[in-house]
């Protein structure tokens, strides 16, 4: 669980550069980052709105529990 200071800094970065804020929160090769990057290219304001939504409301910890972890085949 991120602290209030981390969330505040991510929100400030998301207002200035929306994809960077999402990248810091979710990673660079995620669906959230790609959507934010696309929306920012299409219009700056939709990119900001989605970045704030992705930072505040999407919980990344639910994707990293043991049961939802992707399976990898080791050869």
């Amino acid at each position: 669980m991120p602290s209030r200071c981390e969330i505040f800094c991510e929100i400030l970065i998301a207002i200035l550069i929306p994809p960077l804020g999402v990248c810091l929160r979710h990673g660079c090769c995620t669906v959230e980052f790609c959507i934010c990057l696309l929306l920012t290219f299409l219009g700056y304001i939709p990119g900001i709105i989605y970045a704030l939504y992705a930072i505040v409301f999407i919980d990344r910890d639910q994707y990293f529990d043991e049961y939802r972890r992707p399976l990898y085949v080791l050869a």
Side-chain angles (χ1 to χ4, degrees), residues 2-18:
S3 68
R4 290 182 182 178
C5 183
E6 290 174 0
I7 293 175
F8 180 73
C9 290
E10 289 172 352
I11 288 173
L12 285 179
I13 292 171
I15 291 172
L16 297 174
I17 306 169

Side-chain angles (χ1 to χ4, degrees), residues 64-75:
F64 293 110
D65 55 345
E66 290 294 324
Y67 300 109
R68 295 184 183 178
R69 192 172 287 180
L71 298 175
Y72 295 106
V73 177
L74 299 175

Side-chain angles (χ1 to χ4, degrees), residues 18-71:
L20 181 61
V22 174
C23 178
L24 292 175
R25 177 81 170 152
H26 294 284
C28 289
C29 295
T30 60
V31 174
E32 289 86 7
F33 176 74
C34 293
I35 292 172
C36 186
L37 190 64
L38 179 70
L39 286 173
T40 304
F41 283 144
L42 293 176
Y44 187 67
I45 300 298
I48 292 175
I49 292 170
Y50 183 77
L52 294 176
Y53 169 76
I55 290 172
V56 175
F57 292 111
I58 296 177
D59 185 20
R60 67 178 170 183
D61 293 333
Q62 73 178 347
Y63 299 114
F64 293 110
D65 55 345
E66 290 294 324
Y67 300 109
R68 295 184 183 178
R69 192 172 287 180
L71 298 175

